[in-house]
Amino acid sequence: MRLLTIATSLAALIAASPLAAQTLNVASAGDQNMVDYVKDYLAPMFEKAHPGVKVVAVGTGPGDSGSQKIYEKLNAQKGASATDFDVVVIHQKAAGQMVKEGLLDKYTGNVDTAKLATGDAAKNALGTDVSGYVIPMFQSQTALAYNADMVKTPPATFAELADWAKKNPKQFGYNGIKGGMSGVAFVAGWVYAFGGDADKLMKGPYDAATKANWDKAFADLKAFNANATITPGNAGTLDMLNRGEIAIGPVWVDMFYSWKADGKLPPNMKLKLVSPGMPGQPMYYSIPEKSAQKKLAEAFIALATSPQVQADGIVKKFNWYPGIDAKNLEGKLDKADWDKLFTDVTPAELASNGKPFPIAPYFNDILEGYEKKVAN
């Protein structure tokens, strides 16, 4: 009996000891700031609420290549009993591929905050239905930045912008399709506005014949470019705005506000998200199908996508738009932070004019068409 008691006590001791502590492994594609966000901000908060749990954050690198590394890891461990990662932070392209190949868990029905993300980005990743597999971490959005001293009434639509550029030669600047994604986003937005069925470009299905309908849109863009200034990149557009060399240009919203916060842009710079819209892209929280810690992973994502964490962590720290619908952050931000992010582009405008990039084959067709019919 005494031996049994000792054995039982030892088992209990082991269960309560650090040896039994649970580890939640979070892998993030993206820049180092994404890893630091998990390691320095989310992890301490989650560990405090879950004694005995250790969150380990690793980065796989920026851009789609970082998500590709996560994909390769999960694919290589498809036959294993458990994957190395419990939560992954990935781009749209990789998310679609992982869903198609059965590498992700359909988990969002177990996370209440999923109901707070109702935008297209929570359902569609470049043409793939990802409903149930992802919750956006944040929404990175492009918009037109403009100098309010030089532009008293900013264009509200692409058609108005075309008229404005004709009347104000070289005062609109963008970086084409080779100098950064804000230029690519502008071109995609132009095709959405003038190329026909924009919804089909964003959701599919793909029809190779569709691009034949874009000839006039590209011809008009070539004429538009004759009155535009081609800038050297995303930062180059902001630099030229800052120096007053151009008055309007497409930018990433988070970069715009970071530059303003650092004093690299004057206060008279504002944003306009023109109709019918410009593309942005989210990063997603997902759980691998073979995660050994699914319940903990769900709890971690629930915390990370809660309105208060989205307000404090995503909006205040990074100047990103939240992954959940912005209306859920009302009352979570002080007036200054709310005004900073939502005065120029309101939550309603973000919901209606914040668009995804086109699905991959249309995306490639647009870039090819630009090279052949606009850049030459």
Side-chain angles (χ1 to χ4, degrees):
M1 177 62 75
R2 185 166 182 275
L3 286 176
L4 179 61
T5 302
I6 292 174
T8 303
S9 300
L10 184 58
L13 179 62
I14 291 172
S17 76
L19 290 174
Q22 293 173 288
T23 299
L24 187 74
N25 293 295
V26 181
S28 291
D31 292 318
Q32 183 60 38
N33 61 354
M34 301 275 286
V35 181
D36 293 342
Y37 176 63
V38 174
K39 183 178 64 176
D40 300 333
Y41 181 72
L42 291 178
M45 199 183 315
F46 189 74
E47 289 168 357
K48 185 177 180 180
H50 296 79
V53 173
K54 176 68 177 175
V55 177
V56 176
V58 297
T60 57
D64 283 335
S65 61
S67 289
Q68 177 66 19
K69 290 177 182 174
I70 293 175
Y71 161 76
E72 291 170 358
K73 186 74 169 176
L74 298 185
N75 191 48
Q77 296 181 323
K78 201 170 184 178
S81 59
T83 55
D84 288 347
F85 305 142
D86 301 303
V87 175
V88 293
V89 182
I90 51 180
H91 296 82
Q92 284 187 299
K93 184 178 178 181
Q97 184 175 10
M98 290 182 198
V99 167
K100 287 179 180 176
E101 297 185 18
L103 298 177
L104 298 181
D105 184 50
K106 197 167 187 175
Y107 75 97
T108 65
N110 300 324
V111 178
D112 285 345
T113 51
K115 299 171 185 172
L116 307 180
T118 62
D120 285 346
K123 307 167 189 168
N124 188 293
L126 305 181
T128 300
D129 184 356
V130 293
S131 302
Y133 296 91
V134 304
I135 302 178
M137 172 187 184
F138 66 85
Q139 177 74 20
S140 189
Q141 179 64 47
T142 56
L144 297 184
Y146 67 97
N147 184 324
D149 291 340
M150 300 169 71
V151 184
K152 299 301 182 185
T153 305
T157 67
F158 272 87
E160 289 182 14
L161 175 64
D163 288 341
W164 184 92
K166 195 172 183 178
K167 295 172 184 172
N168 298 274
K170 303 301 180 183
Q171 289 300 292
F172 175 86
Y174 80 113
N175 48 320
I177 63 169
K178 293 185 175 177
M181 285 299 287
S182 62
V184 175
F186 175 76
V187 172
W190 183 281
V191 177
Y192 289 165
F194 302 118
D197 189 351
D199 202 51
K200 183 179 179 181
L201 305 188
M202 290 180 263
K203 298 178 180 176
Y206 177 68
D207 178 359
T210 301
K211 59 186 176 185
N213 301 323
W214 302 342
D215 285 352
K216 184 177 187 309
F218 282 138
D220 290 346
L221 183 53
K222 188 177 182 70
F224 175 88
N225 274 7
N227 290 317
T229 296
I230 300 300
T231 69
N234 296 318
T237 300
L238 287 168
D239 272 332
M240 294 186 77
L241 282 164
N242 184 42
R243 293 194 294 264
E245 295 171 6
I246 58 175
I248 303 179
V251 300
W252 288 105
V253 170
D254 58 304
M255 183 181 286
F256 173 86
Y257 282 121
S258 293
W259 278 48
K260 284 193 83 169
D262 293 341
K264 295 164 69 176
L265 285 176
N268 61 340
M269 294 292 174
K270 296 183 178 298
L271 292 174
K272 185 74 178 181
L273 186 51
V274 292
S275 176
M278 292 178 64
Q281 57 182 344
M283 292 290 285
Y284 290 134
Y285 286 116
S286 290
I287 299 175
E289 172 60 27
K290 293 290 185 66
S291 165
Q293 303 284 1
K294 287 187 179 179
K295 288 301 177 188
L296 272 181
E298 290 168 359
F300 179 84
I301 294 172
L303 173 72
T305 54
S306 62
Q308 195 65 62
V309 170
Q310 288 273 297
D312 293 339
I314 295 298
V315 177
K316 286 185 180 179
K317 282 183 176 291
F318 287 107
N319 298 310
W320 286 324
Y321 286 116
I324 61 175
D325 298 351
K327 62 183 180 183
N328 298 296
L329 272 60
E330 289 190 68
K332 305 296 182 185
L333 293 166
D334 59 37
K335 188 176 185 305
D337 287 315
W338 180 268
D339 288 350
K340 182 178 69 173
L341 209 54
F342 296 118
T343 294
D344 291 347
V345 180
T346 67
E349 289 171 329
L350 183 62
S352 61
N353 292 341
K355 304 295 185 186
F357 278 97
I359 62 173
Y362 284 133
F363 187 95
N364 293 333
D365 286 347
I366 289 172
L367 298 182
E368 181 185 4
Y370 185 94
E371 282 292 298
K372 288 182 177 177
K373 300 178 180 179
V374 179
N376 289 328

